[in-house]
């Protein structure tokens, strides 16, 4: 009988981050992560495909929250107003724990294969938002552009926030960066 | 004595594309690519790190051309005017051979590891353009935003162009998509 470990996913994420910070991502094995979390390697693989995926565990939830924000925006909202609502949700979720997020980001930036995984997750967010906009009746090119513009804002705002020593609220940074994008594209 | 093969890089690219289209990317080995190009596997590895890189052989030249376009734009040009010049150069280079580009794109889209490689190359283009803008005195957040906005235009314009049955000039698509971005962000 397979015994399900309650909270094992969260413990594995904690353990993985600790080990990646202590020893480095490459030097850490799945067996070590599982041991520190007090579970078997088999349990690890019930939760994550590989040791890269542990770092991206929240991305499905994030994508679901963003597409929900698209669907729930007022019917009369323009595409960029919908994107602004999406960025507000993204800022709330991504901006919860600056120190942990900063650690995660420095691990990702040190490894091209993690950067690639991060970029494909972000591209999926953009595609998900564009799809949601099309479902609201926004024509395809405009939907893709609004979603990509949102991704541009997210990348710049998040990049500034995660590397800041006194980071503030990521949602505010998102709003300010969106205003800056409007200004720069209008010039 | 190592004999340098003149034009071997180009022949390897041709051979790789032919084999990827005929047999599929996964089913093709480096040895087969080298054989079809009439060179040794050793020669392959003098030109490319692996069989993924063959598909991205032009990306260093493209990045160099884009950063040159940033440097050569008139001193008084606004960041988005510089980005428009960059997109024109990108459209000229990427839009040369629609059929070949379409084949390459369909191989990339079928393989997540190739999509990841493509995304990281595009992220480097954006980072290179942002760096060039900073060297022109554009403040860092504005430089990053203008470059990311340019990447958004490139992705949407290229995506439409590459999948079109009657594609037209990619530079025109870039200009129209940039105008559409200005409109969508202003709304």
């Amino acid at each position: 009988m397979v015994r399900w470990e309650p909270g094992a996913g969260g413990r594995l994420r904690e353990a993985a981050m600790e080990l990646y910070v202590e020893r480095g991502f490459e030097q850490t094995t799945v067996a070590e992560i599982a041991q520190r979390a007090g579970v078997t390697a088999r349990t690890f693989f019930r939760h994550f495909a590989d040791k890269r995926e542990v770092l991206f565990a929240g991305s499905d939830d994030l994508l679901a929250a963003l597409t929900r924000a698209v669907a729930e925006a007022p019917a009369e909202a323009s595409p960029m107003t919908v994107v602004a609502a999406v960025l507000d949700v993204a800022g709330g979720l991504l901006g919860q724990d600056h120190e942990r997020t900063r650690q995660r980001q420095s691990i990702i930036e040190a490894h091209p294969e993690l950067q690639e995984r991060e970029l494909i997750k972000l591209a999926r967010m953009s595609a998900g938002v564009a799809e949601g906009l099309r479902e609201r009746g926004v024509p395809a090119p405009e939907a893709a552009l609004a979603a990509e513009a949102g991704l541009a804002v997210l990348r710049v705002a998040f990049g500034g926030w995660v590397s800041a020593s006194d980071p503030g609220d990521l949602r505010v940074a998102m709003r300010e960066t969106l205003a800056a994008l409007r200004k720069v594209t209008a010039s």
Side-chain angles (χ1 to χ4, degrees), chain A:
Chain A
M1 196 183 119
V2 175
R3 186 169 157 266
W4 184 254
E5 302 274 351
R11 288 210 310 282
L12 283 161
R13 270 146 73 170
E14 283 289 316
M17 278 294 295
E18 282 172 21
L19 287 163
Y20 295 167
V21 170
E22 285 169 27
R23 302 184 192 177
F25 172 74
E26 266 143 11
Q27 285 72 46
T28 301
T29 66
V30 164
E32 287 165 341
I33 298 168
Q35 187 179 30
R36 170 127 359 159
V39 301
T40 62
R42 204 184 151 117
T43 298
F44 177 95
F45 289 114
R46 270 210 306 277
H47 287 85
F48 306 106
D50 56 41
K51 68 176 183 165
R52 291 207 284 180
E53 277 300 312
V54 188
L55 288 164
F56 300 98
S59 76
D60 286 348
D61 291 344
L62 180 59
L63 176 58
L66 301 190
T67 51
R68 202 160 51 237
V70 176
E72 288 172 358
E76 70 279 10
S78 74
M80 280 314 284
T81 306
V82 176
V83 166
V86 168
L87 290 170
D88 201 62
V89 170
L93 290 169
L94 294 172
Q96 282 172 351
D97 184 343
H98 185 262
E99 179 53 21
R100 171 54 57 100
T101 308
R102 197 193 54 71
Q103 283 178 343
R104 175 183 175 280
Q105 205 60 21
S106 68
I107 297 164
I108 290 173
E109 277 166 19
H111 296 89
E113 78 269 30
L114 294 174
Q115 287 171 39
E116 290 180 339
R117 185 77 60 108
E118 172 99 322
L119 287 167
I120 210 160
K121 300 275 181 189
L122 287 171
R124 280 188 196 132
M125 305 275 164
S126 172
V129 170
E131 193 187 337
L133 286 168
R134 286 196 302 274
E135 281 164 10
R136 294 173 61 93
V138 178
E142 199 181 337
L145 273 172
E148 289 285 325
L151 183 60
V153 169
L154 188 148
R155 283 167 55 87
V156 173
F158 180 79
W161 177 84
V162 79
S163 60
S165 52
D166 183 17
D169 189 329
L170 180 55
R171 286 169 303 181
V172 174
M174 294 279 195
R175 267 169 241 153
E176 290 172 352
T177 308
L178 178 56
L181 176 76
R182 286 180 148 139
K183 207 172 144 196
V184 84
T185 53
S187 75

